[in-house]
Amino acid sequence: MRESPDALEERIAELRGAVRRAVAGGDRRQARTLRARLREAERAWDRAVVGEPEPAPAAAPPDRSVRVPAREHVHHALTLLGGPAAPKLILAVHDAFFPGPLGNSRISSLRRDEERSFRGSPYARPYYVCAALTADLLAPARGLLAISTWPLERRMVGPLSPRTDFLTAALRIAEHLERLGDVPTPGARRLLWRFAANIPGAAADPGAAQPAGLAAAARAELQVHAEADAAHRATAARRALDRLDEAEQLFGARLTAVRRRTGTHGKTETEPST
Amino acid sequence: MTDLAARLDRLRGAAQPRNHDARTIAALTSNPGCARRGVLDAAGIDKDAIAAELGFAAPFGQSQFAITRGNVFEAQVKADGCAELLSLLRDRLGLSIPEVAYDDLGVVGGNESRKVRHARTRQLFARALGEGPGTLFDHPLLRLDIAGQPAYLEPDVIAFQFEGRFHIIEIKSFAMIDGQADPAQVASAARQSAVYVLALRRLLTELGHDEDTVSHEVVLVCPENFSNRPTATFLDVRPQLAVLRRQLARLTGIDRIVAELPADLTFEPGAGLAGAVRSVEARYSPDCVSGCEMALFCRDEARACGSTGALGRSIRDDLGGVDSIATALALADGSLEPAEELAETAAGLRLAARLRREALGAAS
């Protein structure tokens, strides 16, 4: 005999309270069984109110592609790029070289999810998709993703770093294309064009750019900036190691935190100077 | 000054103040005599909301598609550490290879408050002028005194240092076809850029540098022909700067206007709002419709009381001293004897009336 919706609602409320108490009390096993019962009750409520048999999960079209989490995709793309990158570039690289779907929406919430996971249980995962840090204030750089296993210097963003990261990415992509050797995919061609068009001397006609030419040009310009940029990053990384806790080293400090920590140094960089 | 700020806060009521941008300042200078707009803007009141509350919501603002298109193009030009912008500047201006430094001032340490961003902007510009690094500065937050009140400017531009001079880079999404763009769009871009140039000049003079450190030549970046590829041209904004300077100086001091308002006046939404808005004098002219959210309300008011301003600015100027259409008509048909100072205007009106009569009489 089916229970009435009213009785079910009462039971659902009861179970929710019980789950909350169990979680608060730290009894994980109890919480799990209670949640299973809660879901059961909710399904019964669905049946009682909507009166429909729930759609069989098997009716969904079978997904042939292996479900790889977005973080894995992003990890692959970032490892290939070798430096902090914006979601747009990550997507382009993913489309050019890796199989499987990856949408912008899946990337946008990634950093926050990763931070929550890290703060919940630190170092439970082999790597985290984390933030690049601005070299001056050690805050998360807007719109850039990085990998937690990289050395801290590589995740620092000084004034020259956007350019050096762009050139490094160009170099890595060119080398990767040379390694692959065969005819590049349309996505890869677009990527090649995008880099070649904006690096001096990469190709007379960006449409006909070759990986070797791109690599040489990127290397040449990289040499101009590398030294100053590396010095900048190294100083910033030392400061970050010095001042930030583990979570902040990965996900950046907010301005208030930096102030508190640097208060004794007498150099609050953000104080209005008037 | 603090008195005035407190007073303006009271006028605004509980609402959050709104930022000025170059668009509002450019519009402000187009009608400097309007006390209503002056007060509402100085207090940072959301005119859109007020107009809607009064039942005169203006179908105003840019189309959503235009905004999206603009944002996409801007993001494209700035992507990958301003890669496309750098190639353009290297190509057109001969920017040297080592000059690639890029600082984003949109967020400072996860903090978006205007004060912090402005302080940071000052700091970085001071450093860049004192032999420090600094080529591109994205989203600088500038400040400009509007009618004696400092207003923050939220420019969607990049300031760019080249050979010791700063340029403003304005990225716009209207197409440049065969080196020609829509003149109206270019003119509006020039007006807006002039506001930024002026604000940046103020900042650098405050830092103890010469005004000419900021160039009057603005770099305008637009899509080329029918493609998405950016192209850059120089835009000389000296005329716009001169106009802007003059208008800003002429802007009636807000403190004087506010001093004449009743002490308990407030623009809080509610029953008294219409009365409160009416108590501040407006100066409506038809071109307000293209630049001010309050325009439909003011137009209604101007028409209801038969103000000559509703007929257009040139007519209002021709009829100097005659405020209402009824008076003008009475002067024209001779039913009202003009006072001495209006004799000339009245003679003109009578002549016009006679010509009209004759023309209509000849036609019939």
Side-chain angles (χ1 to χ4, degrees), chain A residues 86 88-89 134 136-140 142 157-164 166 193-195 197-200 220-221 224-225 232 253-256 259 267-274, chain B residues 72 75-76 79-88 90 97-112 115-116 119-120 122-124 127 133 138-139 143 206 229:
Chain A
K88 225 170 172 179
L89 183 58
T134 58
D136 43 7
L137 295 171
L138 306 178
R142 217 160 33 150
V157 182
L160 299 175
S161 310
R163 187 65 185 172
T164 51
F166 175 71
W193 180 87
R194 182 167 157 185
F195 283 120
N198 293 311
I199 297 176
E221 197 188 327
V224 178
H225 312 304
H232 213 105
R254 299 281 149 183
L255 188 58
T256 46
R259 263 200 185 159
K267 196 183 165 215
T268 44
E269 287 184 299
T270 52
E271 209 76 80
S273 53
T274 40
Chain B
V72 167
Q76 178 205 329
D80 305 323
C82 290
E84 291 196 356
L85 188 59
L86 279 173
S87 327
L88 258 183
R90 285 172 176 175
I97 299 284
E99 293 182 84
V100 295
Y102 169 84
D103 287 285
D104 186 2
L105 290 156
V107 175
V108 178
N111 192 326
E112 293 186 25
K115 222 177 211 150
V116 172
R120 182 83 183 138
R122 282 179 71 108
Q123 194 185 29
L124 285 192
R127 195 180 72 190
D138 201 355
H139 297 119
R143 213 162 52 175
E206 278 170 33
R229 267 222 312 277

Side-chain angles (χ1 to χ4, degrees), chain A residues 8-220:
Chain A
L8 278 168
E9 275 161 24
E10 210 169 293
R11 195 144 67 87
I12 287 171
E14 241 168 61
L15 281 167
R16 282 201 180 128
V19 171
R20 187 161 45 83
R21 277 192 296 280
V23 171
D27 190 347
R28 281 169 180 274
R29 184 176 302 170
Q30 174 72 2
R32 209 172 309 135
T33 38
L34 282 171
R35 272 176 58 198
R37 279 170 56 197
L38 174 62
R39 271 195 295 276
E40 183 61 37
E42 279 169 346
R43 269 199 294 275
W45 185 88
D46 280 349
R47 277 195 301 273
V49 174
V50 187
E52 288 287 302
E54 43 191 315
D63 193 355
R64 250 177 254 284
S65 68
V66 189
R67 293 292 286 179
V68 182
R71 60 191 302 271
E72 299 257 340
H73 282 313
V74 172
H75 182 240
H76 287 157
L78 278 173
T79 308
L80 177 54
L81 284 168
K88 225 170 172 179
L89 183 58
I90 293 175
L91 273 178
V93 169
H94 175 82
D95 287 345
F97 298 111
F98 302 107
L102 177 64
N104 208 351
S105 56
R106 290 176 72 192
I107 298 187
S108 54
S109 61
L110 193 58
R111 200 163 86 179
R112 222 177 23 248
D113 294 345
E114 294 277 291
E115 178 167 3
R116 206 173 304 135
S117 154
F118 182 85
R119 288 191 191 271
S121 48
Y123 299 112
R125 297 174 175 179
Y127 65 84
Y128 289 85
V129 175
C130 63
L133 306 186
T134 58
D136 43 7
L137 295 171
L138 306 178
R142 217 160 33 150
L144 291 180
L145 295 177
I147 301 287
S148 62
T149 49
W150 286 346
L152 205 48
E153 296 94 80
R154 209 191 292 177
R155 291 197 287 112
M156 290 290 156
V157 182
L160 299 175
S161 310
R163 187 65 185 172
T164 51
D165 285 341
F166 175 71
L167 294 169
T168 313
L171 185 58
R172 302 275 296 234
I173 295 291
E175 285 171 353
H176 186 67
L177 280 170
E178 277 184 305
R179 265 198 307 277
L180 288 177
D182 49 347
V183 185
T185 60
R189 287 216 65 78
R190 258 201 306 279
L191 211 51
L192 192 63
W193 180 87
R194 182 167 157 185
F195 283 120
N198 293 311
I199 297 176
D205 170 18
Q210 291 303 318
L214 175 61
R219 224 173 264 131

Side-chain angles (χ1 to χ4, degrees), chain B residues 121-129 137 140 159 166 200 203-204 207:
Chain B
T121 306
R122 282 179 71 108
Q123 194 185 29
L124 285 192
F125 278 67
R127 195 180 72 190
L129 285 167
F137 301 92
F166 279 99
L200 192 54
L203 178 74
L204 293 191
L207 290 172

Side-chain angles (χ1 to χ4, degrees), chain B residues 113-115 117-118 121 139-143 152-155:
Chain B
S113 95
R114 300 183 294 180
K115 222 177 211 150
R117 284 179 54 197
H118 181 66
T121 306
H139 297 119
L141 193 72
L142 304 172
R143 213 162 52 175
Y152 284 102
L153 281 178
E154 180 72 77

